[in-house]
Amino acid sequence: MNGTLALRPRGLWLVTSLELRQRLRSVRWYVALTVWTLVLLGIGVLGLAPTLYTAQWDGLEPVAAMIFSLQIILVLFAMLLVVPALSAGSINGDRTAGTLATLQASLLSPLEIALGKLLAGFLTGLAFLVLALPSVVPIALLGGIGPLYFLRVVLVIGLLTLCVTAVGLGLSAVTQRQLGSVVLAYVIVFGVTVVLPIAWGSSAIFLEQEREVTRYSSAYLSSDGAEAGRCVAVTRTDSVPRIDLSMPLLWGNPVVLLAEAAPPLPADTWYGGGNGEDPDVLRLLKTGVRTAATITHPAHSNFCEPGQEGYPEHLAEAPDRPVWPMGLGLWMIGGGLSLAVAVWRLAVPIRRLGAGTRIA
């Protein structure tokens, strides 16, 4: 008898191929792929047509870059709507249909069954992602999006797809009904994507702190004109929202993680520089999140331009604290624990099953 953690490529591929064949035999699978492709292509046309119509060719690139960032966020949201349904019913659905016991009674190990179902769900999600790319590539080319930028955002969406698939698999192993696991998967995705960012924004009200802040700004024209245009420092006590303390609420947010894949904005962007690089939604979001993580740093209170008389050269730049290591780490830990739960629940003999649960 194979051990619980036995893993053979042949057994893994057997379960994966069985899962994929079940999907391919379903007409709903082809209908879903067709509708998905048409909807996203339609969204791509809706984003591309106004861009070409309203922007002059010499001003097309910044508009297209902005539209690209909005489209890729929309693709992420669409994936988050589709992915939970791909694996959240894979185990309890088979148990309800009476086919799970056949797999458990075979020479396949629980790890092979769980990984096979996970791989099948992940490959299905990748199929949806690949079909979404044609709606994004044209606008990316018009927006001058670099290949590394494009590959990074696709990689982040792929990793999130894998993790959400694993979470759905774990939920399908611990719940009796397929509907229950699917709903729980959507609740988790909705909570991380919408509820926690709202909680983070609301935390600014409760985490205010009185601090002595020195602001550097250009002086207004005085009566004698002595300080006109000079950078002056004004120190006063202000209420500072310590949203940096509640930043863990944003670590796992998929949109924030997607923004982390965007290249940083040049430091002189707000002073008319930027080396010709165009800001987009993802790059602006990345800058905003990393600024919020170091909101108490004195550099954020400097509103003078470099080279200006009286410019505070002694101020160091605010530290650049990435969010993606913590965010992806949390998702990977959650996915790994969910996979472990699925393997544990697939092990036989099962000590306890809910009332009315079908075995074979």
Side-chain angles (χ1 to χ4, degrees):
M1 182 177 180
N2 286 347
T4 300
L5 300 181
L7 181 61
R8 299 162 301 167
R10 183 179 179 183
L12 177 62
W13 175 244
L14 177 62
V15 178
T16 303
S17 59
L18 285 174
E19 291 285 322
L20 291 176
R21 278 200 291 267
Q22 287 179 357
R23 288 180 169 89
L24 292 176
R25 283 200 299 262
S26 174
V27 177
R28 291 180 298 177
W29 162 254
Y30 296 100
V31 173
L33 287 178
T34 302
V35 172
W36 167 269
T37 305
L38 292 177
V39 168
L40 288 180
L41 284 177
I43 293 174
V45 171
L46 290 176
L48 184 61
T51 302
L52 296 175
Y53 180 76
T54 59
Q56 301 295 330
W57 283 106
D58 57 350
L60 178 62
E61 188 168 304
V63 178
M66 189 66 69
I67 295 296
F68 164 78
S69 61
L70 293 173
Q71 275 193 309
I72 205 69
I73 292 174
L74 188 60
V75 169
L76 173 64
F77 280 136
M79 291 294 294
L80 292 177
L81 287 175
V82 171
V83 170
L86 299 178
S87 63
S90 57
I91 292 179
N92 50 17
D94 284 358
R95 182 177 287 123
T96 301
T99 58
L100 182 63
T102 304
L103 289 176
Q104 292 175 298
S106 67
L107 296 178
L108 295 169
S109 69
L111 181 60
E112 290 170 344
I113 298 174
L115 280 179
K117 289 180 175 293
L118 174 63
L119 184 58
F122 177 57
L123 291 177
T124 305
L126 286 185
F128 280 93
L129 178 58
V130 169
L131 290 176
L133 295 182
S135 66
V136 181
V137 171
I139 202 75
L141 294 175
L142 291 175
I145 302 300
L148 290 179
Y149 181 7
F150 188 84
L151 289 176
R152 283 198 301 266
V153 294
V154 172
L155 179 61
V156 169
I157 296 177
L159 288 175
L160 289 174
T161 299
L162 177 61
C163 294
V164 174
T165 303
V167 170
L169 183 70
L171 291 174
S172 72
V174 297
T175 55
Q176 297 182 29
R177 300 290 181 263
Q178 185 173 356
L179 179 61
S181 56
V182 172
V183 170
L184 283 176
Y186 280 120
V187 167
I188 291 175
V189 170
F190 180 78
V192 173
T193 307
V194 179
V195 177
L196 290 184
I198 294 176
W200 175 76
S202 302
S203 68
I205 303 174
F206 307 102
L207 295 177
E208 283 193 351
Q209 186 180 74
E210 296 293 327
R211 295 175 64 93
E212 191 176 80
V213 179
T214 301
R215 298 183 184 276
Y216 300 87
S217 59
S218 299
Y220 292 104
L221 181 64
S222 59
S223 57
D224 57 359
E227 292 189 349
R230 178 182 174 83
C231 182
V232 296
V234 177
T235 301
R236 63 183 183 183
T237 301
D238 282 343
S239 294
V240 179
R242 295 299 307 275
I243 51 178
D244 55 316
L245 300 178
S246 55
M247 280 300 295
L249 295 176
L250 290 184
W251 285 353
N253 185 273
V255 181
V256 172
L257 293 178
L258 188 65
E260 284 285 296
L265 287 174
D268 59 346
T269 298
W270 313 116
Y271 304 111
N275 300 322
E277 297 185 31
D278 302 310
D280 57 46
V281 175
L282 292 178
R283 301 180 75 177
L284 292 172
L285 179 60
K286 177 179 182 176
T287 301
V289 169
R290 295 199 177 186
T291 300
T294 57
I295 194 171
T296 58
H297 195 276
H300 296 315
S301 300
N302 179 21
F303 302 100
C304 297
E305 298 184 14
Q308 188 176 359
E309 184 181 359
Y311 184 83
E313 301 288 351
H314 64 282
L315 289 182
E317 292 186 2
D320 192 20
R321 296 177 180 172
V323 176
W324 66 266
M326 290 79 73
L328 288 180
L330 286 175
W331 274 109
M332 293 177 70
I333 291 173
L337 290 177
S338 299
L339 179 62
V341 169
V343 173
W344 170 64
R345 291 288 294 173
L346 286 171
V348 289
I350 300 176
R351 295 181 179 274
R352 183 177 180 182
L353 284 174
T357 302
R358 180 176 178 178
I359 298 178

